[in-house]
Amino acid sequence: MTASAQFPLSLPTGLPLPLEGIRVLDATHIVAGPFCSLILADMGAEVIKIERPRTGDIARGRHPFITDDEGNRMSSRFLGVNRNKKSVSIDLRNPRCKQAFESLVAASDVLVDNWGAGAFRRLGLGYDRLSEVNPGLIYASITGYGDSEGLTGPYSNWPANNMAIQAMAGWMELTGDPDGPPQSVGDNIGDSIPGLWAALSIVLALETRRKTGRGQHIDVAMYECMVSHIESNMNHYHAIGEVPGRSHDRMATAGVTFRAKDGYVVLAGARTEERLRSLWQTIGRDDLAQDPCFLGGEQGGEFFVTEFIPAIEQWSVNLSKLEIAEKLVALGFSMGMAQTMEELAHCPHLEGRRMYVDTGDTLGGTFRSPRTPVRLTGCVETPAETPPTLGQHNREVLCSIGGLTPKEVEALEAEGAL
């Protein structure tokens, strides 16, 4: 039977989000784990954030902060990756709390952990134990270099963070001025890319469980996730044995960056002789439109730096980024404007695509952050619940699926275990 015979060609809007009914325990902090569970929460999962009492997720203490008139503050870094979640603050070293946590595991579908290799095993809460509590549990651990038997290497016990992983995975050797030192990409992609792969792995494991009824451990290594995204450069190396690096030749091949009146633009993609001739004619350089050197010859990257770019900039510095991009897109070029965070925050295209979501900031105001870019056009809108305050849902969660009584919760709170 064909797919069209099984399902109508046009689906009704208002379908449920795909992870509705899935419960996730989010025992993560900083970015990689919370970014993973944010995707799951936006897709309809019930996400219960497991935090340490008193301090909570380390990101709660990271600047920049939003501050209200009374001096109360909330970390914008925390707000950005923790919407649509509940918070339970619980000390997993406490025996009664550990029992409650196992009750949560028994009633959940997924556990995500990014506390480092072996951290939960040392608490007696490794996959071997938790799979006994819940054979259907999908347990995703995000570590720097992987954390499972039979898949170890010399770096398995090394700690990791965004910068370390960008360096290890080759990104920094590919980024920056050819004559300067390696540089990092200007955001923590060493965390968010592994978070994305962890979320995808969880969804795939849920499908396997649907077929078999069995859960499994998912071993997400930040190192491997980042290496998988340098595939073009790795293919280059395996094809010709040449180590790609930061060079003018590579920059000339990838794209030409030149100045505008209000910043920079990038001319990327195929630069055919016909298009380049049109470019020079458009900017009033008919002489260059007849010069083979400026029509895509074999000149190296140094030529682009000393001749090609200065010739364009005589024209481009008098126009805005948008004006340049629109004119050259009309000639068939792929163009990009180097946009600031302010420009992105007010981008009319992103506004038209409803790429930003507004939630509360826990201080009485609102906070805007990027939406998960999964466009399920037949489903209901993704939720936009305010990120939780620390331990906000202790009683709701622990006195239901956690198996604690209200009196036990009060006693644990009094001793600082919640």
Side-chain angles (χ1 to χ4, degrees):
M1 182 180 293
T2 64
S4 59
Q6 295 179 56
F7 303 106
L9 292 177
S10 59
L11 293 171
T13 57
L15 295 172
L17 290 168
L19 297 182
E20 185 178 305
I22 297 296
R23 179 177 290 133
V24 177
L25 299 182
D26 173 18
T28 71
H29 63 161
I30 312 294
V31 175
F35 191 84
C36 164
S37 58
L38 172 68
I39 297 170
L40 305 179
D42 278 1
M43 291 298 103
E46 177 191 12
V47 175
I48 301 172
K49 189 171 179 66
I50 306 297
E51 302 189 68
R52 286 175 169 172
R54 296 178 294 282
T55 56
D57 185 332
I58 295 172
R60 289 184 181 272
R62 297 285 175 88
H63 64 81
F65 294 102
I66 296 170
T67 307
D68 66 14
D69 294 338
E70 284 74 44
N72 300 307
R73 67 182 193 175
M74 173 56 78
S75 166
S76 61
R77 294 191 64 184
F78 179 86
L79 292 173
V81 290
N82 285 290
R83 65 175 174 266
N84 299 325
K85 302 178 185 180
K86 299 175 180 179
S87 172
V88 169
S89 57
I90 186 169
D91 186 348
L92 296 180
R93 297 167 299 181
N94 179 287
R96 187 65 186 98
C97 289
K98 186 179 290 188
Q99 290 176 359
F101 178 75
E102 291 191 352
S103 295
L104 297 182
V105 167
S108 298
D109 302 283
V110 177
L111 170 64
V112 191
D113 149 41
N114 73 330
W115 278 96
F120 268 55
R121 284 197 299 275
R122 290 190 291 274
L123 290 169
L125 296 169
Y127 178 70
D128 54 349
R129 166 57 188 160
L130 297 183
S131 62
E132 294 175 356
V133 173
N134 180 356
L137 179 70
I138 292 161
Y139 181 178
S141 60
I142 305 172
T143 62
Y145 301 94
D147 185 27
S148 56
E149 284 188 33
L151 290 172
T152 60
Y155 313 138
S156 294
N157 293 320
W158 285 18
N161 58 25
N162 166 54
M163 288 286 285
I165 289 298
Q166 284 198 41
M168 290 291 290
W171 286 69
M172 291 179 67
E173 277 294 344
L174 297 169
T175 306
D177 190 279
D179 301 319
Q183 293 184 9
S184 66
V185 177
D187 207 310
N188 42 340
I189 60 170
D191 293 312
S192 56
I193 286 178
L196 174 62
W197 279 104
L200 174 59
S201 300
I202 288 167
V203 171
L204 295 174
L206 284 169
E207 175 62 10
T208 294
R209 192 187 68 173
R210 184 186 69 81
K211 295 176 179 177
T212 67
R214 298 293 302 181
Q216 60 184 293
H217 175 226
I218 299 172
D219 177 7
V220 180
M222 297 165 69
Y223 187 28
E224 295 165 3
C225 293
M226 291 295 284
V227 166
S228 74
H229 283 261
I230 58 164
E231 43 84 28
S232 295
N233 289 280
M234 188 64 77
N235 295 340
H236 177 106
Y237 171 76
H238 283 302
I240 62 176
E242 178 184 272
V243 177
R246 303 181 310 282
S247 72
H248 289 310
D249 285 331
R250 287 191 72 250
M251 292 178 182
T253 302
V256 180
T257 301
F258 52 93
R259 288 181 297 157
K261 182 170 61 177
D262 55 349
Y264 288 85
V265 296
V266 177
L267 186 153
R271 297 189 290 274
T272 64
E273 181 176 332
E274 179 183 358
R275 285 178 184 167
L276 288 171
R277 183 173 285 112
S278 297
L279 164 66
W280 298 123
Q281 291 171 341
T282 296
I283 72 174
R285 292 299 303 268
D286 289 337
D287 57 324
L288 301 184
Q290 309 305 320
D291 188 335
C293 293
F294 288 84
L295 296 177
E298 297 300 321
Q299 289 73 20
E302 196 64 32
F303 173 82
F304 277 85
V305 173
T306 61
E307 302 291 337
F308 192 96
I309 292 174
I312 296 179
E313 287 185 339
Q314 290 177 3
W315 165 76
S316 66
V317 294
N318 300 304
L319 300 174
S320 71
K321 294 184 290 188
L322 182 58
E323 289 173 315
I324 296 167
E326 288 179 337
K327 288 179 184 295
L328 298 190
V329 164
L331 299 180
F333 289 104
S334 295
M335 294 298 300
M337 299 180 291
Q339 298 199 91
T340 66
M341 292 305 103
E342 181 179 14
E343 289 169 328
L344 286 172
H346 301 285
C347 173
H349 184 85
L350 294 178
E351 290 287 355
R353 293 276 298 171
R354 300 197 301 277
M355 183 55 194
Y356 294 108
V357 58
D358 293 313
T359 66
D361 64 3
T362 76
L363 300 176
T366 59
F367 185 78
R368 171 164 286 199
S369 55
R371 185 185 299 275
T372 300
V374 177
R375 300 292 185 172
L376 303 177
T377 59
C379 289
V380 298
E381 280 290 322
T382 56
E385 297 295 326
T386 298
T389 56
L390 180 59
Q392 179 180 341
H393 303 92
N394 280 355
R395 290 175 181 266
E396 173 191 331
V397 173
L398 295 176
C399 292
S400 55
I401 59 174
L404 296 180
T405 67
K407 286 188 176 181
E408 285 179 306
V409 168
E410 289 178 10
L412 289 169
E413 286 175 340
E415 64 181 88
L418 296 182

